[in-house]
Amino acid sequence: MRLALFGPPGAGKGTQSLLLREQFGLDVISTGNLIRKAISEGSSLGRKVEEHVHAGGLVPDDLVRDLANEAITALMYDRFILDGYPRTTRQAVWLMEFLRAYKAPLDAVISLKVSDEVIIDRLSNRRINRETGESYHLTYHPPPSNVDPSLIVQRKDDAPESVKARLETYRRETHPVEMFFRQAGLLVEIDGEGGVHDICNRLIDNVERLGTLQST
Ligand code: AMP
């Protein structure tokens, strides 16, 4: 099973991909996490992309493609969920070509639909564990009390001016990707509002309907 989770920043892709990982035993490939790791390690890739990320823009297509392709290859082209990739039509075309070459096409691209109001609320209240990448909402899903509070931080790109830029980037560059996958017959649209577990149940129903995947 090969899935991609699609949606604007704050749609819940990260949270839901981790829940689906648990449910179906799939691996998650989050290009955002791979990029944040490169930045925090100060690697040459990290230095190249840092400014784009903090300004709320996208990392150049070829750099993200290489990261994603490497991660997909390490998983032998199967049993993965892409979180936040592809984000441009060019990335989408490259991904389809890459997977076709390994006879490993995507089963579905699941688009999480959320209103702007919900996005702003989620991003401004989002905090992450800087070691595990786990994501929390200060009101609805606060960090557990047994986690060292110094590990819980706000992402730099969740600052209000970055959020505005990211939403603009999404509308301009990423939203058209939805049409690309709709035309390819791969798009599954899901209501991404409400409680985390309600949304997850909707996702599970849809993933089970897609094929042979069983919950673990
Ligand atoms: P995310 O954690 O998915 O919100 O990603 C954080 C940031 O990493 C994004 O705002 C982009 O700057 C960068 N990024 C992640 N995935 C991609 C991608 N597929 N294409 C370009 N930039 C990306």
Side-chain angles (χ1 to χ4, degrees), residues 156-175:
K156 270 196 191 162
D157 61 349
D158 280 345
E161 59 286 5
S162 278
V163 167
K164 193 165 168 275
R166 285 162 69 205
L167 287 174
E168 281 163 14
T169 303
Y170 171 78
R171 288 194 188 105
R172 196 178 55 246
E173 303 199 45
T174 307
H175 189 247

Side-chain angles (χ1 to χ4, degrees), residues 9 13 30-33 35-36 52-53 56-61 64 83-88 91 126 155 157 166:
K13 301 183 293 292
S30 157
T31 45
N33 283 350
I35 289 166
R36 274 185 291 281
H52 297 285
V53 175
L58 292 180
V59 165
D61 284 333
V64 197
D83 159 14
Y85 183 81
R87 256 174 156 107
T88 65
Q91 291 176 19
R126 176 159 70 181
R155 278 170 46 169
D157 61 349
R166 285 162 69 205

Side-chain angles (χ1 to χ4, degrees), residues 2-17:
R2 292 168 289 269
L3 299 172
L5 279 192
F6 182 84
K13 301 183 293 292
T15 303
Q16 294 299 333
S17 56

